Amino acid sequence: MSDTAAPIALLDREDPAVADRIARSAATTEGARLRTEDFGPWLAERGRAHTFEVERIPFDQLEGWSFEEETGNLGHHSGRFFTVEGLSVTGGSEPFREWQQPIIKQPEVGILGILVKEFDGVLHFLMQAKMEPGNRKLLQLSPTVQATRSNYTKVHQGADVNYIEHFAQPDRHRVLADVLQSEHGSWFFRKSNRNMIVEAAGEVELLPDFCWLTLGQLHGLMHQDNVVNMDSRTVLSCVPFADPHQGALHSDTGLLSWFTAERSRHEVRAERIPLKSVPGWRLGESVIEREDGRYFKVVAVSVRAGSREVSRWTQPLFEPLGLGVTAFVTRRFGGVLHVLAHARVEGGFLDTVELGPTVQHTPDNYAHLESDERPPFLDLVLEADPSRIRYEALHSEEGGRFLNAESRYLLVEADEEEAPRQPPAGYAWVTPGQLTALVRHGHYVNVQARTLLACLNATREYA
């Protein structure tokens, strides 16, 4: 990439008036509708108000789900929701050039939407205390709407999805963000959700499991473990912040050219195969797992949730083995903060690679490798002195499909020796402003990097 090309915008920047209102909300750490000190008791009270129960069950106790005789694929009798199938991938990165695994195929596009409204001249975000069966803490803060098409078209014959009308008919309101974003490419096959932020026109009824919070309050909660769920974090990454930093190390055009070259040089083939044909995996009464006991398992659960559209159901979940570590290595060039992004191959991506974090791994999966075979920068992050860690929190991944999937999210400051200005192939230094601009387009920035962008925004100071 050229370091001297004149900066060219990735797209027209957001309306300055909107960016100013966003910054004002981010600077406001006390809400007009719910005091910050009252949030913890409010969330605990919502937990006591409903019955939540998750129990592991054998596969033969799944209701409405079954293994197809010919393929071994696990699916729902309605043909909706999702299926667990097999995936064969070739063209990955070293040391894993090819592999086979179970994968979730969920072709329908869901809606992840946050409704915003001004109170006392400050934008507030309408958030939901929502139970997800896979969350370590079952009840976490979700977007206003977090629903698959099967949910909001009532395939499950449950209750209506609250507030869906604001997002199904957004022309009634002011749309601040609306973009299709990828889901976890390691566990979903080409899955996208519509990430939306919509400013409400007129009065909005406040329902019991919902609360209005400023962006500043949400940023404070982002520093707590397992409070703000993954779907909220990806939508919050789409918030149209102004870019306060000029002087990016690489021009926008140079960055896009590098990314296009990365996509072009990876010849990735990802093909769905029958689940029963995935080598090295075995099916038991209550688990599908690798014969060597690594990576993840497929399990089944029975769920009771008094606050959901359906109060009782059963389903499969993917359960990773080990705590994930997800981090951006950071440096300043010319006084401007940069993060080290990785053009990352994941088998379920729609288009070969997306920009991911510097490190996105489960360390236990690499413990058997020699030091020169381990992923770049993994040991730098794992061994980072606490004085170099600018952000750290445990966050759950997608609790509707993954069981106890947690990652340690970090921002780690490095120096020239640890993370040089000219990084290894496949890595590039990017400013937060450039990431924010890219997030306004689908399938550029993966969901883990979007979480880290939301975390990074939570560390900034706003006038």
Side-chain angles (χ1 to χ4, degrees), residues 225-240:
D225 293 347
N226 290 316
V227 172
V228 180
N229 82 355
M230 188 217 76
D231 298 293
S232 293
R233 300 192 305 266
T234 180
V235 178
L236 290 173
S237 76
C238 301
V239 168

Side-chain angles (χ1 to χ4, degrees), residues 141-183:
L141 211 53
S142 84
T144 317
V145 166
Q146 176 184 320
T148 65
R149 179 173 289 275
S150 291
N151 288 144
Y152 65 79
T153 58
K154 301 174 68 172
V155 170
H156 49 42
Q157 299 181 337
D160 292 331
V161 174
N162 293 316
Y163 302 108
I164 187 64
E165 67 276 7
H166 297 281
F167 302 94
Q169 299 174 318
D171 54 337
R172 297 169 47 194
H173 309 286
R174 183 177 187 181
V175 176
L176 303 185
D178 190 355
V179 59
L180 283 179
Q181 297 287 11
S182 62
E183 294 292 295

Side-chain angles (χ1 to χ4, degrees), residues 355-373:
L355 284 182
T358 320
V359 169
Q360 182 189 316
H361 302 292
T362 301
D364 290 353
N365 292 335
Y366 300 89
H368 63 291
L369 298 178
E370 299 295 332
S371 58
D372 59 349
E373 296 177 313

Side-chain angles (χ1 to χ4, degrees), residues 8-45:
I8 299 176
L10 294 165
L11 68 168
D12 291 336
R13 300 298 182 184
E14 185 56 69
D15 180 352
V18 172
D20 289 344
R21 297 169 70 210
I22 292 294
R24 189 181 312 124
S25 182
T28 304
T29 57
E30 196 59 72
R33 288 297 183 267
L34 181 65
R35 294 187 307 171
T36 301
E37 66 183 38
D38 294 333
F39 173 80
W42 174 83
L43 187 64
E45 188 277 329

Side-chain angles (χ1 to χ4, degrees), residues 108-378:
E108 61 185 28
V109 174
I111 291 178
L112 307 177
I114 297 179
L115 199 64
V116 301
K117 183 175 173 59
E118 272 197 6
F119 297 102
D120 296 342
V122 177
L123 282 176
H124 287 61
F125 293 61
L126 185 59
M127 309 300 293
Q128 178 183 182
K130 188 179 182 72
M131 180 271 194
E132 293 288 351
N135 287 342
R136 183 75 70 179
K137 294 180 181 178
L138 291 176
L139 199 67
Q140 295 190 18
L141 211 53
S142 84
T144 317
V145 166
Q146 176 184 320
T148 65
R149 179 173 289 275
S150 291
N151 288 144
Y152 65 79
T153 58
K154 301 174 68 172
V155 170
H156 49 42
Q157 299 181 337
D160 292 331
V161 174
N162 293 316
Y163 302 108
I164 187 64
E165 67 276 7
H166 297 281
F167 302 94
Q169 299 174 318
D171 54 337
R172 297 169 47 194
H173 309 286
R174 183 177 187 181
V175 176
L176 303 185
D178 190 355
V179 59
L180 283 179
Q181 297 287 11
S182 62
E183 294 292 295
H184 291 74
S186 295
W187 293 331
F188 280 114
F189 184 72
R190 298 179 182 175
K191 174 74 171 69
S192 298
N193 276 325
R194 191 176 178 186
N195 289 225
M196 304 179 70
I197 302 174
V198 174
E199 184 173 5
E203 294 300 314
V204 177
E205 179 186 6
L206 183 63
L207 298 175
D209 287 316
F210 294 79
C211 65
W212 291 104
L213 298 170
T214 68
L215 193 51
Q217 288 177 298
L218 287 169
H219 283 171
L221 294 173
M222 289 281 292
H223 288 267
Q224 299 182 25
D225 293 347
N226 290 316
V227 172
V228 180
N229 82 355
M230 188 217 76
D231 298 293
S232 293
R233 300 192 305 266
T234 180
V235 178
L236 290 173
S237 76
C238 301
V239 168
F241 280 104
D243 180 6
H245 303 301
Q246 302 301 319
L249 187 60
H250 304 295
S251 71
D252 290 353
T253 301
L255 175 62
L256 286 174
S257 178
W258 169 82
F259 184 66
T260 301
E262 286 295 313
R263 279 189 164 171
S264 300
R265 78 179 179 88
H266 288 281
E267 297 182 4
V268 180
R269 287 188 64 184
E271 298 180 336
R272 290 157 50 206
I273 60 175
L275 182 60
K276 68 191 308 183
S277 300
V278 178
W281 291 75
R282 62 190 174 202
L283 169 64
E285 291 184 358
S286 58
V287 64
I288 302 170
E289 61 185 345
R290 269 179 62 109
E291 294 170 353
D292 61 8
R294 288 162 50 200
Y295 299 112
F296 65 92
K297 302 184 291 187
V298 183
V299 298
V301 295
S302 174
V303 185
R304 293 178 63 198
S307 61
R308 294 289 297 261
E309 294 85 8
V310 174
S311 61
R312 181 183 176 278
W313 72 93
T314 63
Q315 68 170 93
L317 289 171
F318 278 32
E319 182 178 25
L321 300 172
L323 178 69
V325 173
T326 305
F328 269 140
V329 170
T330 73
R331 285 190 63 189
R332 290 186 179 272
F333 297 99
V336 177
L337 180 67
H338 288 67
V339 300
L340 187 58
H342 179 206
R344 180 179 171 85
V345 173
E346 295 183 18
F349 282 157
L350 184 64
D351 190 357
T352 58
V353 303
E354 294 189 14
L355 284 182
T358 320
V359 169
Q360 182 189 316
H361 302 292
T362 301
D364 290 353
N365 292 335
Y366 300 89
H368 63 291
L369 298 178
E370 299 295 332
S371 58
D372 59 349
E373 296 177 313
R374 290 164 64 82
F377 306 105
L378 175 59

